[in-house]
Each structure stands twice: as structure tokens, then as C-alpha cells.
Amino acid sequence: MPTSALDGKDAAAIQAATAGVAVCDRSSWGLIRVSDDDRLRFLHNQSTNDFQSLKPGQGCDTVMVTSTARTIDLVSAYVLDDAVLLLVSPNRREFLMQWLDRYIFFADKVQLADVTEETATFSLIGAGSDAVVEKLGAGAIIGQPYGNHITVDDSIIVAVGSGLASPGYTVILPVSIKEQVWQQILDLGAVELSDRGWEHLRIIQGRPAPDTELTDDFNPLEVGLWQTISFNKGCYIGQETIARLNTYKGVKQYLWGIKLNSPVAVGETITIGDEKIGKITSYTETPDGYFGLGYVKSKAGGVGLKVQVGNTGGEIVAIPFVSHEYP
């Protein structure tokens, strides 16, 4: 959904996410618990990252893709002692439960459970989040690799990674203590970031979302989600297409940020002269002007390219959540 100019509360929260710490309630996101003996092998075969190398206390981002490597969702996974928790986009929760269930065969020891209603999920965003995590009793996680996590008070999972390109943490906890922990985080100085503020930040930083950047039209390499892909793990759904694109450097379009001179509508065509080179997938307004995300043909160019979007001009800029450098 396009976002217009931010109100004062959102602007203050975004400033806190940049210079201090903001907290966003992501409890509407889906949380799927995958358990039983074959859970790591199963997830290894169903998505782009290497699950079989992960140990309890570790995690990763991974992409669920179709058999032709088209994107379904960007998922954060946390490996526990007896299960894996998958944090999925709100509008992919039911779909992914059905999708994963479809690939569980008779001999597979895999159990799926939707635990969204039983849990709450918060994102701490910004450089000041270390101090909050310390006060929550999870200081041991500070400085650990992305996706690593620890459990405090036997029930609160604190994981490295805010869900955005900004530094921070993801906190998963029982819904029974949601209000208590939320207030504790606010009392420690975090500023509340609304869903609207999250949407603004995710566009500015280039985190792709289902139905906008993650659709049946695009694959993970076009998005630029290299950090979610293992090229050494062997077969998985969509692997053949992704491996071929990487081997032959065959990515034909890339997701970029676009600084715009005036407002545009999602879906508008990006052109150079008379040539159509892409389209806008997301749009927001910032204190510094107008900003969109869009896919642009790789042969047209990248950062610094001047383009036309509808009746206005724009310039291609890098976005920190994704990369377009071949590893």
C-alpha cells in the first residue's frame, strides 16, 4: 500500500529508529512452528537457504519459492532445540501453512503448527536497541551473527536482526506477557513505530514484500536476496533455475530504489525515452521528497541512472536491504 506524508508521531519514531531505538509490534505477522525429527531436512528442501548446517540458537532468512523459482515470501527462521520457528508475512501465513503441508509426505516426520495467536512479536530497531536488550536480560546476544538468538526467563526469544536493514533485534514471546514486556520496552526509552512507519522504512531500505516486490513475476536474484541463498546445498524447490541464473549471470532485471521528483502511483511504468524498462512496485513520501521501489532491466543501468516515471523524473539509487553484486 502506498504511504503518504508521515504524521508527527511516525516521523519521531523513524527518527528514533535512525538515532536511538524504536519498537514495532509485528504480532500480526505469521509464526509457524515446524517440529519433529525431519524438520531441518524438510525446510532445507523447501526454501533457498541451508538449514541442515544450522544448530539450535542459530537462524537465517530464507525465501520460499515456486518450482520455477518465483518468490512467495521472505521468511526469518529461528532454530530451537526441538523446533524451528518461521516468521512469515501477514498475508502469507495461511498460504504457507497449506504450501508446506502439501510437501509433507507419508514417511516424513514433520509437524506444522500455526502459533501466531499464542505469541507476540516485536522488532527493536536502531543503534540504541543494544541497551534495551541488555536490560531485558539478553545482553549475551549482542554482537552475535544475524539470526542467532537466546531465550530469557524461559519464554522470551531475543534474536539478532530487526527485520529491516537497520541494526536491531526480533523479540518473540507468549501473548500472555505481551502487554507487560511492551510497556517495559517503552519504559526503557523505545519509541513506538506504527505499521505505517514500518511500511515507510521497509520501502526506503528496500525490504521486499509479498504482492509488491515478491510475486510470481520475480525470482530471488532479481530481488537481490543473495544473503538468503545457498549455492552449495544441493536440490530444493526452484534450485535449478536459481543455479542457472547465477552460473550464466542471467538476471535480466533488478530491484532498485528510485528518488522521484513528484508523487507517482504503484504500477506506473519506468521508461528511458520511448523504452519501457520497468515498473514501480512500492511508493512512499519522505521528509526529503518522494521515493519508490521498482524493477529495472539490468541492461538499462543501475545507480545514478536518470529515468522517467509517468510524468515525473527520477534517479536510481541503492537500497541497503538488497545487493546486486554476484558473490
Side-chain angles (χ1 to χ4, degrees):
M1 109 188 126
T3 59
S4 56
L6 297 165
D7 62 24
K9 188 176 180 182
D10 283 328
I14 286 167
Q15 177 62 25
T18 303
V21 57
V23 59
C24 183
D25 184 353
R26 295 172 66 198
S27 301
S28 64
W29 290 55
L31 199 65
I32 297 172
R33 181 182 175 93
V34 186
S35 59
D36 218 334
D37 293 350
D38 294 333
R39 59 189 181 275
L40 289 177
R41 178 189 60 79
F42 173 73
L43 291 170
H44 192 85
N45 293 339
Q46 305 308 319
S47 69
T48 57
N49 220 328
D50 181 357
F51 276 85
Q52 294 197 151
S53 68
L54 295 178
K55 306 297 182 188
Q58 296 181 318
C60 68
D61 283 349
T62 193
V63 183
M64 298 294 181
V65 293
T66 69
S67 59
T68 56
R70 302 301 184 171
T71 54
I72 298 171
D73 197 15
L74 172 62
V75 173
S76 296
Y78 306 105
V79 179
L80 311 179
D81 288 333
D82 59 350
V84 181
L85 290 179
L86 303 179
L87 183 61
V88 308
S89 298
N91 57 350
R92 288 294 183 266
R93 169 185 168 188
E94 292 182 9
F95 179 90
L96 283 174
M97 277 292 291
Q98 296 170 5
W99 173 269
L100 292 170
D101 187 62
R102 183 193 312 171
Y103 289 100
I104 299 175
F105 299 111
F106 180 74
D108 291 335
K109 293 183 178 179
V110 178
Q111 300 290 326
L112 300 177
D114 184 341
V115 296
T116 309
E117 303 300 328
E118 305 164 24
T119 52
T121 302
F122 305 149
S123 277
L124 294 168
I125 308 161
S129 55
D130 283 359
V132 175
V133 162
E134 185 87 51
K135 290 291 179 61
L136 290 177
I141 201 65
I142 295 171
Q144 290 197 29
Y146 180 87
N148 278 23
H149 52 91
I150 58 174
T151 302
V152 295
D153 296 333
D154 296 325
S155 61
I156 303 172
I157 298 169
V158 180
V160 178
S162 68
L164 296 168
S166 301
Y169 300 88
T170 299
V171 183
I172 301 171
L173 61 154
V175 71
S176 59
I177 58 172
K178 175 182 179 179
E179 298 304 326
Q180 170 194 334
V181 176
W182 177 260
Q183 190 58 52
Q184 184 181 0
I185 289 170
L186 293 180
D187 291 344
L188 290 170
V191 178
E192 180 178 351
L193 180 74
S194 68
D195 290 346
R196 175 189 172 103
W198 172 277
E199 176 72 359
H200 174 84
L201 279 178
R202 79 117 196 133
I203 293 171
I204 294 296
Q205 297 187 6
R207 179 188 168 116
D211 300 327
T212 56
E213 292 77 37
L214 302 176
T215 75
D216 204 40
D217 294 325
F218 309 112
N219 64 63
L221 300 191
E222 292 171 332
V223 187
L225 294 173
W226 294 93
Q227 75 276 20
T228 70
I229 302 169
S230 168
F231 291 101
N232 305 312
K233 61 179 273 188
C235 292
Y236 61 94
I237 292 176
Q239 181 263 345
E240 187 176 327
T241 299
I242 290 174
R244 188 167 60 248
L245 286 169
N246 178 50
T247 299
Y248 297 105
K249 294 185 168 48
V251 181
K252 291 182 169 56
Q253 57 190 342
Y254 290 121
L255 180 66
W256 292 109
I258 306 169
K259 284 187 175 179
L260 298 154
N261 297 335
S262 58
V264 301
V266 171
E268 281 206 65
T269 299
I270 304 168
T271 58
I272 297 179
D274 295 330
E275 183 184 2
K276 176 183 175 181
I277 61 166
K279 71 173 183 177
I280 295 291
T281 56
S282 293
Y283 167 78
T284 189
E285 295 182 17
T286 82
D288 301 319
Y290 311 98
F291 194 88
L293 295 175
Y295 284 92
V296 174
K297 289 180 180 178
S298 51
K299 66 179 183 181
V303 173
L305 180 69
K306 305 292 186 182
V307 297
Q308 191 76 13
V309 182
N311 296 318
T312 193
E315 180 181 341
I316 303 297
V317 296
I319 37 179
F321 198 89
V322 304
S323 170
H324 296 312
E325 297 292 328
Y326 281 86

